[in-house]
Amino acid sequence: MSTIKDVAALAGVSFTTVSHVLNDTRPVSADARRRVLAAVDEIGYLPSAVARSLRKSETKIIGVLVPNVQNPFFAELVCGVEECCRLAGYSVFLCNSDNDPKRQQQYMRTLLEKRVDGLLLSSAGDDEALARIFKLASVPTVTVDRLVAGARADRVSVDNSQGAYNAVKHLLDLGHRRIACISGPAEFEVARERVEGWRRALQEAGVEIDESLVIVSDFSSLGGYDATKRLLLTHSPATAQHPVTSIFASNDMMAIGALRAAAELGLKLPQQLSIVGFDDIELSRYVFPALTTVGCGVRLLGAEAGRVLIARIENPGEVLKDVLLTPHLVVRESTAPPQVFQGH
């Protein structure tokens, strides 16, 4: 690879002049600047990011660690982070823990060894181990969506309880009373908060809570599919004496799996079964029927997390932030008033 000295020799200037031209650190004559830039183009010189980072004690790289890049929620989240960071002059180094806490810890250490300027993390679990790593790290950090208990970091999240409340309130307003909840794993705060919102909406409406209608599964389309199959074995609108008429799913991917399971069982949607999700991922507009959901814009969530992290990098002494975004109801085709069918 060509070096700064090669550029200086070709341009007929000192290598410090080349440095001043490339880094814009001191005025240089128009003729010298022209010769330096022409030499850079001719030999294809690329400045060393490693050398620059050692000089300035910064890499202009943000480490982003998410639990599942195959999940459209995290893909959209990373797009929001990347766009925000790009506009601020930062590059993004993305790691996928694949929902494996041990892999997550390994990637955390890798990112810290790479001397990233900041970390943005959505947890895959094992918060105790993560909190220990946080204590050892001095790098600015933001946790997003899935928070890390005990970590000293800025937080950007969605008001999960209120979003779930809004989703279930929508079903209640349509006339539903037998409303099931397909929940994510209880180890995640986000899952617990969304179940709490489901309970609160039912309690305020005076609806008796049936804990058998809470089905725990994975935050995935397969998880929603399996949970709905289990639920409808005993609570199907087509056969049960006291059928479920609607489902609140803890995220859109689970809701999409629920749509598939209900259709396979021959249920008419939304006439026999209404389904509402959480997140408002882009895919939710294009499934059939189009999914009613709650969300605040996943890219917006990522962009906000990026802004908070960059602000922390530039102002490390500021008080820690806890940003809570409010999700809004988006009504589409997957919800309708419950209909009475023969036999019920």
Side-chain angles (χ1 to χ4, degrees), residues 106-138:
Q106 292 170 350
Y107 275 137
M108 279 281 288
R109 292 188 173 93
T110 297
L111 290 170
L112 293 173
E113 290 169 0
K114 296 294 184 184
R115 297 292 190 267
V116 294
D117 290 343
L119 278 173
L120 195 148
L121 169 72
S122 185
S123 173
D126 198 359
D127 290 354
E128 186 176 336
L130 274 185
R132 288 197 298 270
I133 296 174
F134 273 116
K135 288 180 181 178
L136 297 174
S138 59

Side-chain angles (χ1 to χ4, degrees), residues 261-272:
E264 283 186 4
L265 292 171
L267 296 178
K268 295 179 179 179
L269 305 173
Q271 295 92 332
Q272 285 180 288

Side-chain angles (χ1 to χ4, degrees), residues 15 25 37 44 46 48 54 59 70 101 107 115 130 162 211 224 235 241 249 253 255 258 264 288 302 315 337-338:
F15 72 86
T25 50
L37 294 178
L46 292 173
S48 170
L54 289 173
T59 61
Q70 289 183 309
Y107 275 137
R115 297 292 190 267
L130 274 185
Q162 187 60 43
E211 293 295 339
H235 298 93
Q241 186 175 359
M253 293 305 292
E264 283 186 4
F288 184 80
N315 300 283

Side-chain angles (χ1 to χ4, degrees), residues 240-319:
Q241 186 175 359
H242 301 289
V244 160
T245 63
S246 59
I247 295 174
F248 163 62
S250 284
N251 72 1
D252 287 349
M253 293 305 292
M254 298 182 85
I256 289 169
L259 288 173
R260 174 72 187 187
E264 283 186 4
L265 292 171
L267 296 178
K268 295 179 179 179
L269 305 173
Q271 295 92 332
Q272 285 180 288
L273 185 69
S274 287
I275 298 175
V276 59
F278 196 117
D279 287 332
D280 191 23
I281 61 174
E282 187 174 357
L283 183 62
S284 64
R285 298 165 174 82
Y286 302 107
V287 295
F288 184 80
L291 184 65
T292 295
T293 183
V294 290
C296 59
V298 184
R299 290 195 182 212
L300 174 65
L301 178 66
E304 182 62 26
R307 282 191 289 270
V308 170
L309 181 55
I310 291 167
R312 172 61 55 198
I313 293 169
E314 296 176 350
N315 300 283
E318 292 288 323
V319 176

Side-chain angles (χ1 to χ4, degrees), residues 2-320:
S2 57
T3 68
I4 193 171
K5 291 184 178 180
D6 296 329
V7 174
L10 184 59
V13 298
S14 68
F15 72 86
T16 55
T17 298
V18 175
S19 177
H20 290 314
V21 170
L22 297 179
N23 297 303
D24 200 22
T25 50
R26 199 179 71 185
V28 175
S29 70
D31 179 62
R33 177 177 294 275
R34 178 187 58 77
R35 284 186 283 130
V36 167
L37 294 178
V40 166
D41 287 340
E42 183 175 338
I43 65 177
Y45 171 71
L46 292 173
S48 170
V50 174
R52 184 168 59 246
S53 67
L54 289 173
R55 288 196 305 272
K56 296 186 175 182
S57 297
E58 64 179 20
T59 61
K60 284 293 182 181
I61 296 174
I62 300 295
V64 178
L65 179 53
V66 297
N68 184 4
V69 293
Q70 289 183 309
N71 185 327
F73 172 86
F74 292 109
E76 290 182 38
L77 181 79
V78 171
C79 284
V81 173
E82 191 276 333
E83 178 67 7
C84 173
C85 292
R86 183 185 65 81
L87 293 174
Y90 290 84
S91 299
V92 167
F93 192 120
L94 175 63
C95 296
N96 172 37
S97 66
D98 200 24
N99 286 305
D100 182 344
K102 289 186 178 180
R103 184 181 296 187
Q104 176 175 256
Q105 293 170 41
Q106 292 170 350
Y107 275 137
M108 279 281 288
R109 292 188 173 93
T110 297
L111 290 170
L112 293 173
E113 290 169 0
K114 296 294 184 184
R115 297 292 190 267
V116 294
D117 290 343
L119 278 173
L120 195 148
L121 169 72
S122 185
S123 173
D126 198 359
D127 290 354
E128 186 176 336
L130 274 185
R132 288 197 298 270
I133 296 174
F134 273 116
K135 288 180 181 178
L136 297 174
S138 59
V139 63
T141 305
V142 170
T143 60
V144 59
D145 183 52
R146 302 180 182 181
L147 308 179
V148 179
R152 181 173 173 76
D154 294 299
R155 312 189 332 166
V156 178
S157 57
V158 173
D159 192 335
N160 294 299
S161 178
Q162 187 60 43
Y165 174 91
N166 292 345
V168 178
K169 179 72 162 51
H170 167 65
L171 294 171
L172 289 164
D173 290 344
L174 289 172
H176 294 274
R177 291 299 178 267
R178 294 280 289 170
I179 304 171
C181 175
I182 297 176
S183 171
E187 66 191 84
F188 293 114
E189 183 181 23
V190 58
R192 298 193 299 271
E193 289 176 344
R194 292 178 187 182
V195 173
E196 188 277 330
W198 170 81
R199 286 198 178 95
R200 180 160 59 93
L202 295 179
Q203 287 171 342
E204 286 190 9
V207 175
E208 183 179 353
I209 294 175
D210 182 351
E211 293 295 339
S212 72
L213 299 185
V214 179
I215 310 295
V216 177
S217 192
D218 296 327
F219 276 128
S220 66
S221 52
L222 177 59
Y225 176 88
D226 288 342
T228 302
K229 282 289 186 76
R230 279 186 278 147
L231 173 75
L232 295 180
L233 279 175
T234 53
H235 298 93
S236 172
T239 58
Q241 186 175 359
H242 301 289
V244 160
T245 63
S246 59
I247 295 174
F248 163 62
S250 284
N251 72 1
D252 287 349
M253 293 305 292
M254 298 182 85
I256 289 169
L259 288 173
R260 174 72 187 187
E264 283 186 4
L265 292 171
L267 296 178
K268 295 179 179 179
L269 305 173
Q271 295 92 332
Q272 285 180 288
L273 185 69
S274 287
I275 298 175
V276 59
F278 196 117
D279 287 332
D280 191 23
I281 61 174
E282 187 174 357
L283 183 62
S284 64
R285 298 165 174 82
Y286 302 107
V287 295
F288 184 80
L291 184 65
T292 295
T293 183
V294 290
C296 59
V298 184
R299 290 195 182 212
L300 174 65
L301 178 66
E304 182 62 26
R307 282 191 289 270
V308 170
L309 181 55
I310 291 167
R312 172 61 55 198
I313 293 169
E314 296 176 350
N315 300 283
E318 292 288 323
V319 176
L320 290 176

